[in-house]
Amino acid sequence: MDSSRTSIAGTAVDEDLYIKNEQTRGELGHRMAEDESQAPTGPRKFQHAFWDPEVAHLRKIYFKILGMTAAFLVVAMWLFFSIYWGSLGETAEHVPNLKAYVVNRDGSSGEGLLGQAIVAAFEANSRGEGVAANQHLTWTVVDSGYLPSNEDVAHAVVEEEVWAAVVVNSDVTSFLASARSSGNSSYDPRTALTFYYNQGRNEIAANSFIVPYTTALLQSTLSAFNAKTNAQYFASVASGADEARQQALAAIAQAPQTVSQPFNYQAVNLRPYTKTASQAVLLVGQIYIIILSFVITMTHDFARGIISPFLRFTSYARMRLLVPLVIYIPVSFSYAMVNLPFKITFDAKYTYAGGFFLFWVFVYLGMAAMGLATEAMITLLTPRFIAYFLIALIITNVSVASVPIVLQPSFYRYGYGFPVFNLSEAVRTIIFNTKNRLGLNAGVLLAWVVLSMITVPLFTWLMRRKDEQAEKAKNAEKVVV
């Protein structure tokens, strides 16, 4: 008999044997009643009400099974659901873990008035001044020589050196003064500052914290600075000669934006979260992959029970490893194909065909990593209890894939070595062109596969040895009889 089916807890075995014996006894009693006109000695099939005293012993087993299941579920909820709730419960408290740059290019050495005001405001914000506790990013002022061009700043954000960056562009204070004096109608206030962020890295962090906190800080800082610079400008105009005032008014008429909103900013989303359908493959789809691989595990457990008692251990172990790996191929490819009608951007980094097939490879690796884990554990837990491992597998993986791990307590750093986090990160690279860690992601997934290729044969050998000993004992009893 299949080792995974015989490695059941003692109480479960006793219940099975008891039910079987009671059913057999009932059938014998029924036949005796027919042959000898005697009352049946046990419960008869299809003859009793639920509360009939004759089935009290069976009813007791029934309630015991349901009660134990409810108890196990309650324990599982407290053990694992709290992990998921905890992964989301304190994200706002860890926002300062999001690092960002401020680059001041205003003036030859950053002496421009706007640049100084921005640097002072962002440094104060980084210290938590003027905001609720922990409701700010950590801003680091970096020398413009470290990131000589805005392309370098954008590259630092895309390569995940930081989560965001604000650049005070070159000589913006003097450009405003020149535009005011000349009445430059082409002056664009948004050229003063550039705010770079990477939504594709994590849309929750970008939409919930990085963009709203940074835009609020920019708006409040610019509003105060614009009011101050306008007051100074109008004061200087009012104190000037009549001819100078007339020239200033004419210039304002030609370029009203120089006083209505002297300085503004432009937000640049370097890696947009382009498709809402992407959420399906980044998080929910990962759960589906686990479920699909679990269905394969359960089906394989039932099917191999038919032939496994007749196989040598080496043949049986190879079957347990190779058959699921083969079945994962068409299933993972079908999963990848489902995404095609919804125009997932597989061409963000590679060609569309190349991105699609690379996506399929990672889906296969993810299915193998998590599917073989259930294949190993069903040997020890049996089909009766494997569902509890499935709950743990789903929750521990999903808990570290929705929000950045830096926004979670340190406990969740285990996620860097878990399949769903690495599969999700690989998918982001393929469909959003985020930082390329595909080699590391594939390595983690393969490590899980290798671990299962060790544990599946090991657990199978342990259970097979137990079955062989039981079979020898059974045969010895037959010989004695």
Side-chain angles (χ1 to χ4, degrees):
M1 193 172 184
D2 188 350
S3 59
S4 69
R5 295 174 182 276
T6 58
S7 59
I8 302 174
T11 58
V13 174
D14 293 342
E15 290 168 4
D16 281 350
L17 293 175
Y18 185 74
I19 293 170
K20 183 177 180 181
N21 290 338
E22 288 297 320
Q23 291 174 338
T24 303
R25 189 162 64 88
E27 291 172 359
L28 288 173
H30 185 63
R31 287 198 295 270
M32 288 174 63
E34 291 177 348
D35 296 341
E36 303 175 15
S37 301
Q38 296 177 356
T41 60
R44 295 159 295 169
K45 288 186 176 181
F46 319 123
Q47 301 297 315
H48 302 279
F50 183 79
W51 296 107
D52 192 323
E54 287 195 54
V55 294
H57 53 294
L58 300 178
R59 190 167 57 243
K60 180 180 178 181
I61 296 173
Y62 170 78
F63 283 128
K64 182 179 179 181
I65 293 172
L66 292 180
M68 290 179 62
T69 300
F72 286 153
L73 285 175
V74 170
V75 172
M77 276 191 278
W78 282 96
L79 285 176
F80 303 118
F81 284 21
S82 57
I83 294 177
Y84 182 69
W85 264 250
S87 71
L88 303 174
E90 299 182 4
T91 52
E93 302 300 316
H94 298 277
V95 175
N97 290 338
L98 300 176
K99 311 299 182 184
Y101 283 160
V102 177
V103 183
N104 181 14
R105 307 189 199 280
D106 190 12
S108 59
S109 57
E111 73 278 4
L113 295 179
L114 177 63
Q116 292 178 359
I118 292 295
V119 168
F122 276 70
E123 286 182 332
N125 177 265
S126 191
R127 293 191 296 269
E129 297 177 12
V131 294
N134 297 322
Q135 303 305 292
H136 61 87
L137 281 67
T138 296
W139 297 94
T140 301
V141 180
V142 297
D143 189 271
S144 58
Y146 175 67
L147 298 169
S149 67
N150 282 11
E151 288 75 16
D152 295 319
V153 177
H155 181 74
V157 175
V158 169
E159 288 299 301
E160 302 182 7
E161 187 175 327
V162 286
W163 286 85
V166 170
V167 180
V168 185
N169 291 313
S170 300
D171 301 318
V172 291
T173 301
S174 61
F175 283 166
L176 175 63
S178 175
R180 281 173 167 172
S181 62
S182 64
N184 183 0
S185 60
S186 63
Y187 174 77
D188 186 354
R190 296 176 302 171
T191 60
L193 297 101
T194 307
F195 164 39
Y196 295 101
Y197 67 100
N198 181 354
Q199 188 185 30
R201 181 178 180 182
N202 188 282
E203 65 284 355
I204 295 178
N207 298 341
S208 300
F209 304 112
I210 296 171
V211 173
Y213 288 5
T214 305
T215 55
L217 178 58
L218 284 170
Q219 289 169 0
S220 62
T221 304
L222 289 176
S223 177
F225 186 81
N226 285 340
K228 179 180 178 180
T229 191
N230 276 343
Q232 294 172 343
Y233 174 67
F234 286 121
S236 66
V237 170
S239 63
D242 290 342
E243 183 178 354
R245 285 200 298 270
Q246 294 299 322
Q247 290 177 349
L249 291 174
I252 291 173
Q254 290 179 353
Q257 70 272 26
T258 59
V259 294
S260 63
Q261 194 175 35
F263 296 114
N264 204 346
Y265 69 93
Q266 181 179 12
V268 179
N269 185 2
L270 296 167
R271 294 293 183 267
Y273 188 87
T274 51
K275 289 284 185 180
T276 54
S278 301
Q279 184 67 26
V281 296
L282 290 172
L283 183 60
V284 181
Q286 314 283 353
I287 301 175
Y288 296 160
I289 289 174
I290 298 176
I291 293 173
L292 291 171
S293 61
F294 180 73
V295 171
I296 294 171
T297 296
M298 294 299 294
T299 304
H300 192 214
D301 177 78
F302 174 77
R304 58 186 164 81
I306 300 170
I307 192 174
S308 61
F310 307 98
L311 299 180
R312 291 191 298 270
F313 169 74
T314 54
S315 180
Y316 181 38
R318 283 196 297 267
M319 181 189 75
R320 291 203 62 187
L321 287 174
L322 297 179
V323 170
L325 289 174
V326 172
I327 298 176
Y328 297 151
I329 294 175
V331 176
S332 62
F333 186 74
S334 178
Y335 174 91
M337 289 285 290
V338 167
N339 294 275
L340 292 179
F342 301 97
K343 303 186 184 303
I344 302 297
T345 52
F346 294 120
D347 56 348
K349 187 175 183 67
Y350 306 99
T351 64
Y352 195 88
F356 169 79
F357 281 104
L358 187 59
F359 172 73
W360 170 42
V361 168
F362 271 94
V363 170
Y364 176 80
L365 289 175
M367 188 171 288
M370 292 177 283
L372 287 181
T374 60
E375 183 73 26
M377 293 307 298
I378 199 173
T379 312
L380 298 179
L381 298 176
T382 76
R384 285 177 180 266
F385 303 109
I386 189 62
Y388 300 102
F389 176 74
L390 178 66
I391 294 172
L393 185 66
I394 291 175
I395 292 178
T396 54
N397 273 277
V398 171
S399 295
V400 294
S402 55
V403 299
I405 293 177
V406 296
L407 293 180
Q408 299 175 327
S410 57
F411 166 78
Y412 294 91
R413 292 177 185 172
Y414 74 80
Y416 291 119
F418 266 51
V420 167
F421 173 83
N422 283 274
L423 180 55
S424 178
E425 195 170 62
V427 172
R428 287 183 185 274
T429 299
I430 295 169
I431 67 177
F432 294 141
N433 192 18
T434 55
K435 183 175 182 179
N436 189 342
R437 294 193 183 93
L438 295 179
L440 174 62
N441 303 141
V444 171
L445 295 174
L446 285 171
W448 275 72
V449 174
V450 171
L451 177 63
S452 294
M453 294 184 78
I454 296 172
T455 55
V456 168
L458 175 62
F459 296 163
T460 302
W461 178 77
L462 291 173
M463 294 300 104
R464 173 57 70 91
R465 188 174 69 166
K466 181 179 177 182
D467 291 346
E468 289 176 348
Q469 291 173 349
E471 185 69 18
K472 289 179 181 178
K474 181 179 178 181
N475 292 336
E477 291 178 359
K478 289 181 179 179
V479 171
V480 171
V481 173

